[in-house]
Amino acid sequence: MQNIRLRFAPSPTGALHIGGVRTALYNYLLARKHGGTFILRIEDTDQNRYVPGAEQYIVDALKWCGIEPDEGPGYGGTYGPYRQSERKDLYGQYALQLIENGHAYYAFDTPEELDARRLAEKEAGNHTFKYDGKIRMKMRNSLSMEKSDVSALLASGADYTVRLKVPSGETVTVQDQIRGEVSFQSDELDDKVILKGDGMPTYHLANIVDDHLMEITHVIRGEEWLPSTAHHVLLYRFLGWESSMPEFAHLPLILKPSGNGKLSKRDGAKLGIPVFPLSWESDVVEDSFIGFREFGFDPAAVTNFLAFLGWNPGTEQEIFSLEALSQAFSLDKVSKSGARFDFDKAKWFNQQYIQAASNEKLAEVIQPIAAERGYVVSNQFMAGVCGLLKERVTFYTDILNDGYYFFESVKEYDEKTLSKKWKPERAPLFETLRSDLNALPDYSAAATEGVVKSFMAANELGFGDVLPILRIALSGTTKGPGVFEMMELLGKEEIDKRISDLLHQVAP
Ligand code: GLU
């Protein structure tokens, strides 16, 4: 495949949710696979739905995921501008061309007239009102009105929209890379508005014009756009661009974890769908929702997980770096049926990435989060903590949450275990153990283990008598990494203090 060009074309109407990131990812992967170009185009022609900050959010989210565009706002490229609002003046000529060639028309109907027609149709038993071939001659437009009236209206500056004139009695066929041939009856299609009263194009016109001018070769997008594709095929034909029409691929829906129905934005928010928190979506913020990044996901785990939402390599392999995905990805392995969003699987991927990462790399990622919490430690110490905890955590943040005691004093002791395991008469023995440990010149795990074992033998105590007490002294709990490794990392002084603190608490 030569010079393939793919675009991700979000509307800046809110946060980038998992479905959007998956669409971006698949476009990115196919572009990378064939040495092509991945473009970000901001479709911001709908001023009413525009959310300030959303574009930056999208850019940041793609960057975090590691799927950065080659061309786009802020990235440059020779096909710009890449924001549709900055291309505003470009679209009118195509609407005009369509009108002149009889494929589009001016419509002067006011919102009140449209409402009245909708009501009249309903009363006549037509409950699914559409501005289409059956209705258009009953409306006020350049097809139903006298030419002179139309000219007079246009000259007077009357409000109008431009609508596509969908031909009647045709079967419009879309060749979809995932679904095969999909056909639509043109009589079922409405005469879509392509240019609005404010001179702005609607999605349909802007999308087609830009895909053409930006020489897009493949359109990969969500299934919800499949019905619009019939209109798009017509637009390509009417504009004379049919021979360079892109390939279409419509991705399967993402389903709720139960598999019952489409994943809603709200389910999504609860499960950690957006990449970051959504400061402007107050309803979601109320649920104190955080994003994938704040959850402590590794971006590579997120892209690996997302790649599998609707695609599989056809083998048992599940762990794929972005680079490996770029090589393995192909549209013919994308499924037609909906993909169940399984958050546990996302967590599983994350665990795999954390376990596979070197301690140093983990430390590098965690240090800034740790600093935000006021934990200031050396990289070497942090790498040590990561080494001890990485097999036991799901998220980066677990290293700081579960392992807080590596960074500050123990906050509370596991009283239940203490009440079972602590024998007050052993307090002097543990004082001896403390000073034996403190006397060690070398505080390696092997050395402390040696001391503890000799202590147990000398006092006829078993592991169960000593280790839980030591663990609780060090970390407050009986869970966690190996006790001697923890001791080595925390160091003699700190261990001495912690054992002493516990002894003061249980045997004051
Ligand atoms: N602006 C559309 C969206 O928000 C783009 C759909 C497409 O890729 O054609 O998803």
Side-chain angles (χ1 to χ4, degrees), residues 417-465:
T417 308
L418 272 184
S419 66
K420 266 192 271 162
K421 296 284 179 186
W422 177 249
K423 305 275 179 289
E425 63 278 14
R426 289 186 188 152
L429 291 183
F430 274 89
E431 275 297 349
T432 319
L433 174 61
R434 181 168 81 91
S435 53
D436 288 353
L437 285 167
N438 217 18
L440 268 178
D442 152 32
Y443 211 73
S444 66
T448 54
E449 183 171 359
V451 168
V452 170
K453 281 191 173 154
S454 319
F455 166 79
M456 288 184 337
N459 297 290
E460 295 180 355
L461 296 173
F463 279 113
D465 300 318

Side-chain angles (χ1 to χ4, degrees), residues 7 9-11 43 203 207 221 225:
R7 86 312 193 262
S11 299
E43 302 211 322
Y203 155 72
N207 188 270
R221 60 187 173 196
W225 299 104

Side-chain angles (χ1 to χ4, degrees), residues 301-321:
V302 173
T303 45
N304 197 156
F305 164 68
L306 285 182
F308 275 77
L309 274 184
W311 169 86
N312 73 76
T315 64
E316 295 292 298
Q317 186 182 343
E318 288 189 279
I319 302 299
F320 283 85
S321 65

